[in-house]
Every structure is written in structure tokens, then in C-alpha cells.
Amino acid sequence: MTRIPTAPDRIVATYQIAGDENHVLARARDICVEQTVEFPADLVTDPFIAGHILGRIEGHRAITPDRYEVAVGFALEVTGGELPQLLNVLFGNISLKPGIRLRRIELPAEATRHWPGPRFGVAGLRELLGVRDRPLVATALKPMGRSADQLADLAYRLARGGLDLVKDDHGLTDQPFCRFADRVGRCAAAVDRANREIGGHCRYFANVTASADQVLPRARAARDAGAGGLLCAPALIGFDAMRSLAEADLGLPILAHPALLGAYTASPDSGIAHRVIYGELMRIAGADGSIFPSYGGRFAFTAEQCRDLAAGCAEPLASLRPIFPIPAGGMRVDRIPELCRFYGRDAVLLIGGDLHRRGDVTTAARDLVTRVIDGHGR
Amino acid sequence: MTRIPTAPDRIVATYQIAGDENHVLARARDICVEQTVEFPADLVTDPFIAGHILGRIEGHRAITPDRYEVAVGFALEVTGGELPQLLNVLFGNISLKPGIRLRRIELPAEATRHWPGPRFGVAGLRELLGVRDRPLVATALKPMGRSADQLADLAYRLARGGLDLVKDDHGLTDQPFCRFADRVGRCAAAVDRANREIGGHCRYFANVTASADQVLPRARAARDAGAGGLLCAPALIGFDAMRSLAEADLGLPILAHPALLGAYTASPDSGIAHRVIYGELMRIAGADGSIFPSYGGRFAFTAEQCRDLAAGCAEPLASLRPIFPIPAGGMRVDRIPELCRFYGRDAVLLIGGDLHRRGDVTTAARDLVTRVIDGHGR
């Protein structure tokens, strides 16, 4: 995506707005007001407020004759260094106005003092796993309703196949039929046992999507139980709860799940672009990998949207580490060569249900890893 | 909204789905799977999982020949009693599938053990204020960029006009140019002084939209500083963070702000209906009032959508208290009679910028209250 040159000391949000140039600039001026002072512009007379607090149009360019991109700069101070207020400044009130789409975020270098982003990212997670030269391979423990013992047995059999990551399904929380502490302890131990038996490096990611006061305690409990990473759904717990997990520095990488985020990308002219919500915002909020429903699965993202999203995971954003895009949502084993070509080396391929269609899951997992090693070379 | 008769022991989500009857029922079966086991349905053979964990179609009816409502029941257990997982079950993965709109939530009586909802609601907030027979009148402190002293002075002058509620603008957080502790202490004291001088009952609502680890500490600090209520934006901090505020039982009513929620209602055939996201979910998450951009202001909700939303605030939902709809977003003083007719007695009318167009704000506020007292009678 071409970048409109902008001021390096401001947060810059690029919005796509439909209409002719005059209309678009009028809407952009409205964004400058609505996202900051939310006050009749003609009544804003204080020079500090008018000159510093108000948003500022940094530039604009036509994409088509009736669609523009406008870059709006906001003073970092306006966010108070807090992520919820950053989200508010970027897209709070204007989420309620149709025809404005957030297309890109840029941060000044100073912003990383508040939001240092992923603690691992692509390089850090590769380092943990000792896998440097191919896409990573992951699966999910499911279905909900199985006991902790049954899920641990499944985790063992999957890890025996040599997968890199085995994660909880995001719907596994702390239900009466499968308690968090029970599940996480058993699954971590099961994956550890499989690793010892085959000389593997598989990491088990525990789902810590939970009530506000339980997110951090469960993450600490997962670490203490030997989990190798964390999973959470930021739309369910709040993006800042995920950031607080990264800030807690538990030594565990974090994968973000897209549950409840779909509405943001549902309309092409409103909402938040794939690049931003599954890439840039996930990085700002500290995820090391971003799970999303890939094109060609049982959801509706297009290949172009997936490419946009992967760019948001990888392209420069202040000094935040690049993270893994994690295509999922009905991926099949026979699509591995294509997925390897499309997403390149720095992706995690997440195959769920399809592994269970192929008889013994250990054999199916081993075959999957082999296909990724082969498929990556092509 | 007509209700499809359903089982009283399940959470029932009603979805609007476009298509003919066969297509709609196929999509509904997919919802039953996607929102729970997320696993190939033909591989689900365990009777506990197939009979209890899987979602279940409870009924369906045509709205038009090519649009249906389908009620899907979920076992309460599947949520583990946690709000993030309730959101996930209701609309997590399927938010990523176009053409499904969540239209209504029903809860079994037992659910209120986990989610007792608003601590005050309409009756409780009226009791605190001593105002029983008319809509309440509120305004916001703004613009961002003013100092704590300037905002406190404004709060004083507004409260002198006899308003019921004066709230922080939702963009006032803890910025370097106006610190939370400073602002809240001064504003609470200013409103208190005005109340003593005129024999008023105005309550100051402090914005506690903040980083995950700061929401509760700021709420406690606000209570200790004498604030009369709390404001937060659940899409910015997570719905469960708002619920945790209600659970903390600080003796302060909570108003919910709609920032970042707009994407959920942007498309008529996808997302979450106004009734649900601004009404039912706000109640489940403990808000006592739900702020939204009313029809006829500077946003885009229609009168019909506002009516749907107000119904979600008021109509029976397990034993959760009804809450106040709070129309806002560019409301003007001269629309008071119309707003009173449209929203009825049990609403909070929130007028912001327009009060500042009318010379002295105390006089403008007093005039506003008078108009509401008069307008309500008509």
C-alpha cells in the first residue's frame, strides 16, 4: 500500500473515504474534530487545543476518481499512552459514521515507549522452536465437550506427529466439564512427554480468554503448569487485556484469535481494514501471531484481503517486531503447497478438523509436517 | 419483536439469516457447530457432545419470503459462566461469516447467577437522584485539551443549571495535560459545591475507560474523590471489564459509551442488531444506561433502529433490570419536545455542544431542564 508522506512525530491514521475531493476533505475535517475534541469546531478558540489537540490532515490522494485516502495526524499525548484511548482516537466515534474505513496506522518512534508490541514476533518464536527455514505448523485441540484427559491424550498424539504448535480451541475456557487448570496441566504434560519421546519441540498454547480478573492469573497458572504459549481473543477480552499479557513478560508467546472481530471488515467502505485489525493492531497489542480465516476455507475473506492482512503483520511499523499471520478456518492438508506459496515462509499454517479425517492423528500430523517441509521448497 | 417460543433452560440467540428456508436452516445448523465444537459435524459422535454441547435449533419463522429468524439454543454450561465466552458463543466465529445478524438474546433464569446485570437500572438511578416523573437530563465535559481546573469550572456552571448528570467526555482519560486524579477530584468537588448552593442533586460521572489494570483502580479513586457515577466504553476496554466494575459494587451507577461499536450495526444483514449491542448486552454487562447516537443528530442511526435499541434496554430479559437509553450525538435543545415524545419518560437526554452555543452555560442548562419538564408533559 502506497504511503502518503506524513509527519514523523504524530500518530497517523489513513482513512479511505468515498466521494469527490471536496466531500472527502470535509469528512476528513470532521474526523479531526470528532476523534479528539468532539465539540463544535467554530467554538474551539484555545490555541493549544486548536493547534495541538485537534486532529490534523497530513495529506490526501485519490485512489479512484470517487474514493480517496486521507492521512490524519494525532498528537501522541491525546492517547495518554493507553491503548483503549488509542483505539478511541483511531476509530471510536467515527465507527458510528458510515463510509469511513481505517486503512493504515503509523506510529511515531516514541509510541513504542507505551506500546512495545510483540515480545517474540517471528524471529523470537522461531528461536524458541528452533525452526528457521519453513512455515510453522499448528493445530487446535477440539471439540469442546471432551474431558481434560481426552484432550491431553489428543495433544499427545498430535505432538507425536512433530507439529510445532498445539493450541487450545478458543472455545475451551473453564467449563464445568473441562476445567482450565485440569486441562492445561494435563495438556502441557502430554506435549512434554511426546517431545521427550520423539526429540520434538512442540509447544502447547493455553487459551486464557477469560473474565477481566482472570486473564493474568490463568496466564501465570499456564506458565507454571508448563504451557509453551498463550492464546486469547482480543475482541472478547479487550485489546488492552492482551497487551497486559505481553507486558507481564511471562516468557510465553501470544497468539490472537479473531472471534467477534468479523464485523469490522464486513463492509468494504466502512470499518477497519484487514491490514489494520489483524496486523497492525495485533502487533501494537503485543500478539506474536494473528489467527484469521484464510481465503478458500469455510469463511469469506478474499485472497487480496489475506495479502493485505499479511502485509500488516510484516511491514515496518515503528520498531515493532513482525509477527506471524496464521491462516486457518477450514484449511485442508491437500492445500499445503498452495498455502506455502501464497503466505511464504513466515506464516503458521493452522489445520484443525481436517487432521481428524485421516485416520490416526499422529500419522496425519506427521504427513502434514512433511508436506510443509516439501511444499515450502517448491 | 415477536419471539419464537423457546426452551427456558438454554441461552437462546435469535439470528436473522437471508435466503430460502432450506438455505437458512443449513446455515443455522452450521451456527450450531461453529459456535460450539467447531469440528466436522459428522465426526461428533459422543452423545454428551452431540446432545448437550452442540447448539440446537429451537425454532424458525419467516420475516419475508427470503429472510428468516432462527432461534438457536446453547447450554449455559458452554459459557463457563464467563461473559467473554458468552460473547464468543453468541457471535464469535460467525461474526466472520457474512449474512448472519444477531437479533435477540434470551437468558435462562439461572444465568443471572453469573451475570446479575445492572446494579441500579432505571429505578435505582432515579432513586439516587430523587427524580421520578420525567426524562433525565445530562451533558458532557469537553473539549479535550482543557485543564482540570477549566473542566471543573465548567462542571460547576453546568451543575448550577440543575442538570441531573454531568459526565466526562469519553476522550478524557489520563492525559498529561489533564490528569485523571486531578480532573475527577476537582470536578466532583465543583458539582458538589453547585449542588449545595442551589439544593441540587447533580451527579458527576467520571470516565474510567483505561488500560486493563487501571479500570478498577480509577473507579475506586473516583468513588473516593466523590464522583457520583462511572462512564466507560466497553468496546475499548472489553465488555467484561465493564461487568467487573458493576461486580465491584462501588455504589456508583455506570454509563456505557458506544465508541468503536459502530461496525457491529453498519450492515443490515450482518453484525449485531441495535437492540442487542446497545440494549441487551449492555444490561448483561452491568451498565445502568447506554449512550448512543440518536436519529436526527450527526450520526446515522434511524428512528427505527433507536426504537429497537430502546426496547432492548427496557423489555424483559431474565430478571435483569431495565436501563436508560441515552440518546446523544448532536442533540439540540430545540428538539427536546420531540425527543421526549419519542423516547418517553425513561430516557436520559444527553445534550453536549449545543449548550455552548447559547451564551452562559448555566442559563442554557437551566433552560434545557425547564424544557424537559415542560416537554415531558405534552
Side-chain angles (χ1 to χ4, degrees):
Chain A
M1 185 182 162
T2 316
R3 190 177 158 279
I4 300 168
T6 50
D9 62 330
R10 292 207 144 203
I11 295 163
V12 178
T14 300
Y15 301 100
Q16 176 191 303
I17 307 175
D20 65 29
E21 190 169 16
N22 283 337
H23 172 78
V24 165
L25 288 174
R27 294 211 74 182
R29 283 190 295 273
D30 174 66
I31 291 173
C32 294
V33 172
E34 190 70 56
Q35 296 305 94
T36 54
V37 297
E38 209 191 323
F39 198 72
D42 56 306
L43 300 183
V44 176
T45 51
D46 180 303
F48 171 69
I49 299 176
H52 186 66
I53 300 295
L54 260 183
R56 187 171 78 193
I57 297 177
E58 306 280 340
H60 70 287
R61 68 183 184 95
I63 313 173
T64 64
D66 59 354
R67 179 168 286 133
Y68 283 75
E69 280 184 359
V70 184
V72 176
F74 298 103
L76 181 58
E77 266 188 294
V78 161
T79 68
E82 295 188 298
L83 183 55
Q85 173 64 359
L86 173 65
L87 297 174
N88 183 42
V89 169
L90 292 171
F91 208 63
N93 273 11
I94 54 171
S95 76
L96 295 150
K97 295 189 172 185
I100 302 172
R101 189 167 176 89
L102 177 58
R103 281 293 289 129
R104 184 190 188 113
I105 303 171
E106 293 162 86
L107 295 178
E110 201 195 338
T112 57
R113 200 160 47 88
H114 306 300
W115 308 301
R119 294 310 194 267
F120 295 87
V122 169
L125 185 48
R126 286 197 178 283
E127 182 75 30
L128 285 181
L129 294 167
V131 178
R132 285 183 181 76
D133 56 353
R134 60 162 173 83
L136 304 181
V137 197
T139 194
L141 299 176
K142 46 173 87 173
M144 183 199 292
R146 285 190 172 164
S147 68
D149 264 341
Q150 288 172 321
L151 290 169
D153 176 61
L154 178 60
Y156 170 76
R157 290 185 288 126
L158 288 162
R160 287 271 307 188
L163 296 172
D164 302 305
L165 314 174
V166 171
K167 72 166 192 69
D168 281 339
D169 210 14
H170 76 288
L172 307 180
T173 55
D174 181 40
Q175 288 100 339
F177 46 81
C178 181
R179 287 293 174 196
F180 176 85
D182 212 21
R183 176 180 82 248
V184 171
R186 285 167 204 254
C187 288
V191 168
D192 187 51
R193 179 159 67 92
N195 281 339
R196 278 184 279 108
E197 289 173 6
I198 65 162
H201 57 255
C202 183
R203 295 179 83 87
Y204 162 65
F205 280 62
N207 180 28
V208 296
T209 303
S211 294
D213 64 347
Q214 288 302 310
V215 174
L216 269 171
R218 285 199 199 151
R220 290 200 184 94
R223 179 200 53 191
D224 296 345
L230 303 171
L231 174 79
C232 70
L236 301 179
I237 61 172
F239 272 84
D240 198 69
M242 182 165 78
R243 186 205 55 78
S244 75
L245 278 178
E247 187 185 34
D249 247 337
L250 301 175
L252 297 179
I254 298 168
L255 305 185
H257 189 281
L260 201 64
L261 280 179
Y264 288 101
T265 56
S267 151
D269 285 323
S270 295
I272 301 182
H274 296 72
R275 172 193 181 92
V276 176
I277 198 136
Y278 295 108
E280 294 166 346
L281 283 178
M282 293 299 182
R283 285 162 79 186
I284 294 170
D288 300 291
S290 174
I291 300 170
F292 64 95
S294 181
Y295 76 95
R298 63 181 196 276
F299 293 85
F301 286 12
T302 65
E304 191 193 352
Q305 291 166 340
C306 293
R307 207 172 280 123
D308 184 49
L309 179 166
C313 290
E315 291 183 359
L317 174 61
S319 57
L320 302 187
R321 293 182 173 89
I323 65 173
F324 280 106
I326 309 181
M331 296 299 94
R332 294 190 322 277
V333 173
D334 57 17
R335 287 185 61 210
I336 290 298
E338 172 210 343
L339 293 170
C340 287
R341 275 194 304 277
F342 186 88
Y343 289 106
R345 191 187 62 170
D346 287 337
V348 180
L349 306 180
L350 174 54
I351 312 271
D354 200 41
L355 282 186
H356 300 260
R357 290 215 173 278
R358 297 165 177 269
D360 173 60
V361 292
T362 304
T363 310
R366 195 176 296 127
D367 172 57
L368 170 61
V369 175
T370 306
R371 282 180 197 234
V372 170
I373 291 170
D374 291 353
H376 164 60
R378 281 175 203 166
Chain B
M1 184 180 162
T2 316
R3 189 176 158 280
I4 299 168
T6 50
D9 62 329
R10 291 208 146 203
I11 296 164
V12 178
T14 300
Y15 301 99
Q16 175 190 303
I17 307 175
D20 65 30
E21 190 169 17
N22 283 337
H23 172 79
V24 165
L25 288 174
R27 294 210 73 181
R29 284 190 295 274
D30 175 66
I31 292 173
C32 294
V33 173
E34 189 71 55
Q35 296 305 94
T36 55
V37 298
E38 209 191 324
F39 197 74
D42 55 306
L43 300 183
V44 176
T45 51
D46 181 302
F48 170 70
I49 298 177
H52 186 66
I53 299 295
L54 261 183
R56 187 172 78 193
I57 297 176
E58 305 280 341
H60 70 288
R61 68 183 183 95
I63 312 173
T64 63
D66 59 355
R67 178 168 288 132
Y68 283 74
E69 280 184 359
V70 184
V72 176
F74 299 102
L76 181 58
E77 266 187 295
V78 162
T79 68
E82 294 188 298
L83 183 56
Q85 173 63 358
L86 174 64
L87 297 174
N88 183 42
V89 170
L90 292 170
F91 208 63
N93 273 10
I94 54 170
S95 76
L96 295 151
K97 295 189 172 183
I100 302 171
R101 188 167 175 89
L102 178 58
R103 281 293 289 129
R104 185 187 188 115
I105 303 171
E106 293 161 86
L107 296 178
E110 201 195 339
T112 57
R113 199 161 47 89
H114 305 300
W115 309 300
R119 295 308 193 267
F120 294 88
V122 168
L125 185 49
R126 286 196 178 286
E127 182 76 30
L128 285 181
L129 294 167
V131 178
R132 288 186 177 76
D133 56 354
R134 59 162 172 84
L136 304 180
V137 197
T139 195
L141 298 177
K142 48 174 86 174
M144 184 199 290
R146 285 190 172 164
S147 68
D149 264 341
Q150 288 172 321
L151 291 169
D153 175 61
L154 178 60
Y156 170 75
R157 290 185 289 127
L158 289 162
R160 287 271 308 186
L163 296 171
D164 302 305
L165 314 173
V166 171
K167 72 166 193 67
D168 282 340
D169 209 15
H170 76 288
L172 306 180
T173 55
D174 182 39
Q175 289 99 340
F177 47 82
C178 182
R179 287 292 174 197
F180 176 85
D182 212 21
R183 177 181 81 247
V184 171
R186 285 167 203 253
C187 289
V191 168
D192 187 51
R193 180 159 66 92
N195 281 339
R196 279 185 278 110
E197 288 174 6
I198 66 163
H201 57 255
C202 183
R203 294 179 83 88
Y204 162 65
F205 280 62
N207 179 30
V208 296
T209 303
S211 294
D213 64 346
Q214 287 303 309
V215 173
L216 269 171
R218 285 200 199 151
R220 292 200 182 93
R223 180 200 53 192
D224 296 345
L230 303 171
L231 173 80
C232 70
L236 301 179
I237 62 172
F239 273 83
D240 199 68
M242 182 165 78
R243 186 205 55 78
S244 75
L245 278 177
E247 186 186 34
D249 247 336
L250 301 176
L252 298 178
I254 297 168
L255 305 185
H257 189 281
L260 201 65
L261 281 178
Y264 288 102
T265 56
S267 151
D269 285 323
S270 295
I272 301 182
H274 296 72
R275 173 193 180 93
V276 177
I277 197 135
Y278 295 108
E280 293 166 347
L281 283 179
M282 293 298 182
R283 285 162 80 186
I284 294 171
D288 299 290
S290 174
I291 301 170
F292 64 96
S294 181
Y295 76 95
R298 62 180 198 277
F299 293 85
F301 285 13
T302 65
E304 191 193 352
Q305 290 166 340
C306 293
R307 207 172 279 122
D308 184 50
L309 179 167
C313 290
E315 291 183 358
L317 173 61
S319 58
L320 303 188
R321 293 181 173 88
I323 64 172
F324 281 106
I326 309 182
M331 297 297 95
R332 292 191 323 276
V333 172
D334 57 17
R335 288 185 60 210
I336 291 297
E338 172 211 344
L339 293 169
C340 286
R341 277 194 303 278
F342 187 88
Y343 290 106
R345 191 188 61 169
D346 286 338
V348 180
L349 307 179
L350 174 54
I351 312 271
D354 200 42
L355 281 187
H356 299 261
R357 291 214 172 278
R358 300 169 173 265
D360 173 60
V361 293
T362 304
T363 310
R366 196 176 295 128
D367 172 56
L368 170 61
V369 175
T370 305
R371 283 180 195 232
V372 170
I373 292 170
D374 290 355
H376 165 59
R378 283 175 203 166

